Amino acid sequence: ISSAASDVYKRQSEATSDIEGRFLAMESHVSLLIVHILRMTGDKIETVKETASQKLMRSFSRILERQYSTGRSLSEYAEALGVTTTHLSRVSRTLNHKSAGQIIQERVLSEAMQLLLHSDMKVQDIAKSLGFSSPAYFTRLFNSKLNQTPKDYRKSRARGPEETQRIRARGL
């Protein structure tokens, strides 16, 4: 396999894996791709300046990726970044069309979906590992956002008879 093909394969496996830090790694790959495109087109890399808002969102993304499972509140993230919750949410809405709170919630739910599909963890253990104070609150939030309980989500997406059998055997 050529070096370029090997790099593409590594990036694809990074994107489909469930290892910690995969989003940060993918963000880095995208940055490298942008640099490569700029070099190919002859554009000056130095002219691409990051705004204060973009820097804030990048910092927020990095902290969120490291700490999404701690149950941190929006105000704790804002404090760590040295800004108010209002400012963080305003910048997030401007750049992402979502509030910072929504981004936190989506990241936690994304991890919950991965754990439901790719682990044998019980729902209550998943809730605890993601910083929820109660499995019932986790289930209510999951159900309100995805219109199904975590158990139903897991069952509806079971892959093949082996996984279905494993889920039934565990009573999940």
Side-chain angles (χ1 to χ4, degrees), residues 69 123-132 135:
S69 64
V123 171
Q124 66 189 27
D125 294 333
I126 291 172
K128 185 178 179 182
S129 77
L130 293 174
F132 285 88

Side-chain angles (χ1 to χ4, degrees), residues 74-89:
L74 174 59
S75 60
E76 289 171 310
Y77 282 106
E79 184 179 330
L81 293 164
V83 297
T84 65
T85 56
T86 303
H87 181 66
L88 181 58
S89 284

Side-chain angles (χ1 to χ4, degrees), residues 115-121 154 158-172:
L115 290 170
L116 287 164
L117 295 179
H118 303 291
S119 79
D120 289 335
M121 292 173 70
R154 177 178 267 167
R159 295 188 185 124
E162 299 86 16
E163 190 169 354
T164 303
Q165 189 174 33
R166 176 187 56 81
I167 288 170
R168 285 189 186 130
R170 293 212 28 160
L172 306 174

